[in-house]
Amino acid sequence: MLGLSALAHDPAAALIVDGRLVAAVEQERIDRIKRSTAFPAGAVQAVLDEAGLRLGDVDRVAYYWNDRGQAARALYSACLQAPANTAGFARMARQRLRGLAAPARVADGLRPLLGGAPAPPLDFVDHHEAHLVAAWASAPFDAEAALVVDGRGEVHSTSLYDLRGGPSAPPRLLETSPFPDSLGVFYGAVTQLLGYRALSDEYKVMGLASYGKPNEHWAERIGSLLRVGADGRPKVHIPSLQPENCSSAELDWLTARARRRLSGPFRDADGSFTADAYDFAYAAQEALERGLLGLLRRLVERTGATKVVLVGGVAMNAAAVGRARASGIVDELHVPLAPTDAGASVGAALAVLRRRGLPLPPPGELTDPFVGPGFGPGELRAALVASKLPFREVDGPAAAAAAIADGRLVGWFDGRMEFGERALGARSILGDPRKAETRDLINASVKRRESYRPFAPSVLEEHSSRYFATGRSRRMGEIVAVTPTAHAEVPAVVHVDGTARPQTVPKDWPARRFRALIEHFARITGVPMVVNTSFNVRDEPIVCTPDDALRCFASSGLDQLYLGDFVVDKEAFGG
């Protein structure tokens, strides 16, 4: 079963063979275009290569969107939400009608990969169903309810489900909110107001919010765009939006009048953010969190659930997820590996398998992030030989740990690439958390990104509670408070607001050599963690291949590159 997200943002492919998730990868990692919107032909080929299959061997293709199944409702919703101006209404209607061409567009995208073989049958899955099943099937507990919150589906932007019938029963849809009444649209519009790109840079706004403080002026302005009712339901002020634009990062999501009302002196003459920008981001983040908590409480009130899954693009907001988990509204809260539309490629495949009564992968397999392309020692050596750079063979984990303890910044490339937004030990840049300057050094010489953005710690799970207000957070999915010990011992991973976004690394972590690296570092320094950020520079995707890693290493301030047990020193580049 091949799962696809395509024809919009976050294109990806996932392959399930005989009840096993064999591979999953985002298109951007293959074509090397950050936030690529290309048809995921490269991603499809990559997952097939991992399985040693051809597209003609695939039984069915599951697609993560279903305008055909909801055409009438989608067009009716478009009429209700459409702007008064004729051009805007026409654009929205065209968007809805374009979805009906998805079968032909997907077929055209897959045709070059078939080599003359017949195309597999194409199954359509409602977008929120794809999100739901990705979260439900991967939950480490028997989920009782689900909350899907994103920018938009075919019709809905928010869906609440009752799952108390169990995995064998169909989910019961309790209530929905229609696009564009959407927390995702709200936060995307805020992202644009701060000069960032919607549908990709929302996480930067979350980081910016950490520097802000409560400000009545900006809280009122944000309140004019998003309010949370007494019933817990967030409501976006629809007249402030241009709904026909809210699926494109290139167009303004807010009306000119709303932009004037909500804009402010967000940049200084030198381009740096002002205190108003920080406070505006703070107010927006606070509103998003209140909206998400309101929905979670509403779901619990309607179902009595204590075990809930949360999914959709809004679930990528780690600060909101951390607050939801700490709120005590539910006993258990699960966010899947990739809650974005990329992860809906997995969900679509799972939904079709479930629909056909076929076995699903076990939950533990669906939470293993290391399902991307992998490269053996022979391929790593061949890439190094072709680069004509001198390299040495070492014990990678031990050597890298010693280098980090000595103050070096290292690129770590080992095993199969992660699926999802986070670098979790296969494609990482690593540094010493004991030195506050590590954060600034990585930002300035490697990542070349905004200085206000923090870096995450990867900590041995059994030591996590000594440093962070969590004992388990294996995929960097939540922001939590740090302890006084963290402030004293690992300042590089403590954000300005006294929080961190940790990855806890258990003893049975699939990336065993990454766990071994942290253990070596702990033996050397007494500190059971390293700074871990994704292996890429600004405006590039995470590296996928050895050649990607070598290019990134050459153009950055990294001191060493580890490709498995091979190491290249920056001196090999003459600097």
Side-chain angles (χ1 to χ4, degrees):
M1 179 71 65
L2 177 67
L4 283 184
S5 60
L7 308 181
H9 60 87
D10 299 336
L15 185 66
I16 297 176
V17 179
D18 296 330
R20 290 188 54 248
L21 177 61
V22 172
V25 65
E26 298 94 328
Q27 175 65 19
E28 70 164 18
R29 308 288 173 85
I30 306 301
D31 64 22
R32 310 307 303 154
I33 299 172
K34 186 72 171 176
R35 303 296 177 189
S36 175
T37 57
F39 186 84
V44 170
Q45 189 61 60
V47 298
L48 291 171
D49 288 345
E50 285 297 318
L53 298 174
R54 297 169 299 177
L55 183 55
D57 299 322
V58 171
D59 295 324
R60 309 187 78 83
V61 176
Y63 185 63
Y64 81 135
W65 199 272
N66 188 21
D67 271 327
R68 285 181 35 155
Q70 305 188 70
R73 294 172 65 204
L75 285 170
Y76 177 69
S77 177
C79 291
L80 291 179
Q81 305 294 348
N85 66 84
T86 304
F89 175 81
R91 186 181 304 126
M92 179 168 271
R94 283 196 301 271
Q95 289 172 3
R96 297 297 189 176
L97 291 170
R98 192 183 307 127
L100 301 180
R105 296 174 69 194
V106 171
D108 287 345
L110 293 175
R111 189 171 294 113
L113 304 179
L114 285 167
L122 183 60
D123 290 279
F124 293 85
V125 177
D126 292 356
H127 187 58
H128 278 198
E129 181 187 358
H131 275 316
L132 165 67
V133 179
W136 193 5
S138 62
F141 49 76
D142 292 330
E144 299 165 340
L147 176 58
V148 181
V149 193
D150 60 6
R152 62 163 290 197
E154 299 87 350
V155 177
H156 307 130
S157 61
T158 303
S159 297
L160 281 64
Y161 292 93
D162 185 343
L163 308 179
R164 287 174 295 175
S168 60
R172 186 164 67 93
L173 181 62
L174 298 174
E175 64 181 53
T176 62
S177 295
F179 168 83
D181 188 8
S182 160
L183 285 178
V185 168
F186 157 73
Y187 210 71
V190 167
T191 300
Q192 288 187 331
L193 286 168
L194 286 165
Y196 284 131
R197 182 181 175 86
L199 301 176
S200 65
D201 290 342
E202 282 81 354
Y203 65 100
K204 297 180 181 180
V205 177
M206 183 186 72
L208 199 67
S210 305
Y211 288 80
K213 62 183 186 303
N215 180 311
E216 185 176 346
H217 171 79
W218 291 118
E220 289 178 355
R221 292 296 184 274
I222 287 294
S224 72
L225 184 59
L226 177 72
R227 294 193 180 277
V228 180
D231 60 359
R233 299 185 70 169
K235 294 291 294 181
V236 178
H237 186 247
I238 303 301
S240 294
L241 299 175
Q242 300 187 84
E244 72 276 19
N245 292 354
C246 293
S247 298
S248 169
E250 314 302 328
L251 301 173
D252 289 323
W253 291 13
L254 293 170
T255 65
R257 182 176 180 181
R259 291 197 300 276
R260 288 192 297 270
R261 183 179 79 247
L262 290 161
S263 294
F266 294 153
R267 299 273 185 169
D268 284 327
D270 63 359
S272 60
F273 282 113
T274 64
D276 278 305
Y278 295 143
D279 292 349
F280 178 77
Y282 178 95
Q285 177 66 30
E286 175 65 20
L288 179 84
E289 292 177 12
R290 284 190 288 106
L292 187 65
L293 291 179
L295 288 169
L296 193 58
R297 289 191 183 96
R298 186 170 177 82
L299 180 63
V300 169
E301 287 170 2
R302 294 204 59 176
T303 63
T306 61
K307 298 177 180 180
V308 172
V309 295
L310 169 66
V311 66
V314 174
M316 280 298 297
N317 191 295
V321 172
R323 183 169 171 184
R325 206 181 294 277
S327 69
I329 296 172
V330 295
D331 296 336
E332 301 276 3
L333 183 66
H334 170 69
V335 177
L337 179 60
T340 60
D341 281 6
S345 64
V346 177
L350 294 171
V352 173
L353 288 173
R354 189 175 185 274
R355 190 183 293 170
R356 298 175 66 82
L358 296 172
L360 304 186
E365 188 173 296
L366 293 172
T367 56
D368 180 349
F370 305 104
V371 291
F375 302 86
E379 293 169 294
L380 299 179
R381 180 185 287 275
L384 286 164
V385 170
S387 75
K388 297 184 171 23
L389 294 171
F391 61 92
R392 297 174 284 124
E393 189 166 3
V394 295
D395 178 346
I404 295 166
D406 199 35
R408 293 185 176 90
L409 299 179
V410 308
W412 178 255
F413 183 106
D414 192 82
R416 296 182 67 180
M417 184 179 66
E418 301 93 338
F419 180 60
E421 299 276 347
R422 313 299 189 197
L424 300 172
R427 306 288 188 272
S428 294
I429 290 171
L430 307 175
D432 190 341
R434 299 172 300 164
K435 303 172 182 177
E437 59 267 26
T438 297
R439 178 177 56 235
D440 297 331
L441 184 61
I442 297 176
N443 259 332
S445 65
V446 182
K447 302 289 280 191
R448 298 193 285 273
R449 68 184 197 180
E450 298 88 347
S451 60
Y452 65 82
R453 289 169 55 194
F455 291 112
S458 290
V459 59
L460 299 181
E461 189 165 270
E462 61 269 31
H463 297 285
S464 178
S465 57
R466 179 183 171 197
Y467 298 94
F468 311 110
T470 183
R472 173 173 171 157
S473 181
R474 294 181 177 178
R475 292 178 297 281
M476 293 186 186
E478 60 184 298
I479 290 173
V480 300
V482 305
T483 67
T485 300
H487 278 285
E489 294 185 11
V490 288
V493 302
V494 179
H495 197 29
V496 64
D497 60 352
T499 64
R501 180 168 52 85
Q503 174 200 7
T504 63
V505 183
K507 293 179 181 179
D508 60 350
W509 190 233
R512 294 188 300 274
R513 285 161 53 85
F514 184 57
R515 164 83 191 195
L517 184 157
I518 304 173
E519 290 173 339
H520 281 295
F521 186 81
R523 283 193 286 270
I524 296 168
T525 66
V527 173
M529 78 178 75
V530 293
V531 175
N532 177 11
T533 188
S534 57
F535 195 163
N536 64 291
V537 294
R538 185 175 183 175
D539 297 327
E540 288 189 2
I542 297 174
V543 301
C544 176
T545 69
D547 288 340
D548 297 338
L550 285 161
R551 282 192 297 269
C552 186
F553 178 57
S555 63
S556 70
L558 288 172
D559 298 305
Q560 289 185 321
L561 169 63
Y562 289 83
L563 295 175
D565 283 328
F566 303 112
V567 61
V568 182
D569 293 288
K570 184 48 65 78
E571 288 77 8
F573 292 84

